[in-house]
Amino acid sequence: MNRITELFNIKYPIVQGGMVWCSGWRLASAVSNNGGLGLLGAGSMYPDVLREHIQKMKKATTQPWGVNVPLLYPNIDQLIDILIEEKVKIVFTSAGNPAKWTKLLKDNGMTVVHVIANARFAKKCEEAGVDAIVAEGFEAGGHNGREETTTLTLIPHIRKQTSLPLIAAGGIGSGKGMLAAMALGADGVQIGSLFAASEESSAHSEFKKCIVETGEGGTLLSLKKLAPVRLIKNAFFEQVHEAEKNGMSTLELQKLLGKGRAKKGIFEGDMVEGELEIGQVATLIDEIKPVKVLFKDLLEEYQNEKEAIASNTRYQF
């Protein structure tokens, strides 16, 4: 066991990212049933939908699981009430100040993890009393840190700042990536894009196909005047890119983005006008597989690479 498997009582230190429009109960329960920590993505769920997915999770797995909650969600009070009422045991918070909700969640028996993208928030997490930290590099999909710090740099930097259990995220989609993150000081990993393209993901089949077809350089960080988000390059992305080059104001960008743009792309399958959030690691994903097979691939590659290092077959100088 390591600190992450012990903290969550799971078999492997692999956490599934709580991604909007991808992370419903089918994906989260599949990850938990295969030895990782599945997370429901509350960021794309109305309160009643979240409650429904929580109740389905309870029937789908007897293993530990949790909920990812963006703290800037407009109905955050209702979501927190549901987590308490449904006696959720593990909560990952993101996009906000951990101090506001951590004590209440912990007072209600929850393990609390907060997602950060820079070292200065590591101390805020410690002060708030969280149980662990996710450090997310800018390779990650979805909303991202303004500092654009890569995972390779971010993990050792945050490891110097805190002794809390540390989960690496951003650009990790292989066993080799897992091993590299742990060599940098992480205790576990959070994987998003790979699971977004899984059979159990609630994303639209056209979005999954698009992930598989995304080549090198096929994503870029966009909408930096609003909240930086990594997108696959499509017609909507080009509109945003052109608008940003021409100095469009924040208000105009908000109007261009509109409402429901991520749902249109990821969940409804509009590959032209939808907002297609995915990480750089999409370039390494070449097939849609079930979660069970993804775990097998990850763990075999991790073990093989670890043994190769131990035997010095590729690491002699």
Side-chain angles (χ1 to χ4, degrees), residues 114-310:
H114 192 68
V115 182
I116 61 175
N118 59 61
R120 80 174 178 275
F121 270 95
K123 289 300 178 187
K124 289 182 181 292
C125 287
E126 282 191 342
E127 291 164 4
V130 305
D131 297 289
I133 290 172
V134 174
E136 185 175 74
F138 108 123
E139 300 96 323
H143 291 288
N144 220 302
R146 294 185 180 279
E147 297 82 3
E148 300 189 18
T149 306
T150 65
T151 305
L152 188 70
T153 303
L154 184 64
I155 298 305
H157 193 43
I158 290 183
R159 181 73 290 165
K160 286 183 177 180
Q161 304 298 316
T162 180
S163 60
L164 285 172
L166 180 59
I167 301 167
I172 303 167
S174 66
K176 291 178 181 178
M178 287 173 55
L179 190 59
M182 292 182 175
L184 292 170
D187 300 293
V189 297
Q190 179 169 282
I191 294 175
S193 299
L194 187 67
F195 290 127
S198 70
E199 288 185 4
E200 292 89 346
S201 164
S202 51
H204 196 281
S205 59
E206 286 298 314
F207 178 61
K208 296 179 190 181
K209 180 182 175 185
C210 188
I211 295 171
V212 170
E213 294 174 349
T214 297
E216 185 178 3
T219 70
L220 200 68
L221 210 59
S222 306
L223 295 167
K224 295 180 185 178
K225 284 185 178 179
L226 300 179
V229 59
R230 181 170 297 282
L231 302 177
I232 292 175
K233 295 176 180 178
N234 66 346
F236 169 67
F237 166 85
E238 295 300 339
Q239 291 178 58
V240 171
H241 190 58
E242 193 63 27
E244 291 181 320
K245 279 200 306 183
N246 294 331
M248 185 177 278
S249 69
T250 300
L251 193 60
E252 290 171 317
L253 282 171
Q254 285 175 332
K255 187 176 179 181
L256 174 61
L257 177 61
K259 289 186 177 181
R261 186 77 73 163
K263 181 181 181 182
K264 179 183 284 190
I266 299 170
F267 193 68
E268 297 176 351
D270 187 338
M271 297 297 100
V272 178
E273 291 297 327
E275 182 182 5
L276 309 179
E277 303 178 8
I278 206 69
Q280 285 183 334
V281 78
T283 62
L284 300 177
I285 300 170
D286 54 14
E287 190 178 349
I288 299 165
K289 299 179 181 180
V291 166
K292 184 176 182 179
V293 175
L294 293 178
F295 263 80
K296 181 176 178 290
D297 293 346
L298 286 167
L299 296 168
E300 282 185 357
E301 186 176 278
Y302 176 88
Q303 192 60 38
N304 289 341
E305 196 64 19
K306 188 177 177 181
E307 289 172 3
I309 293 172

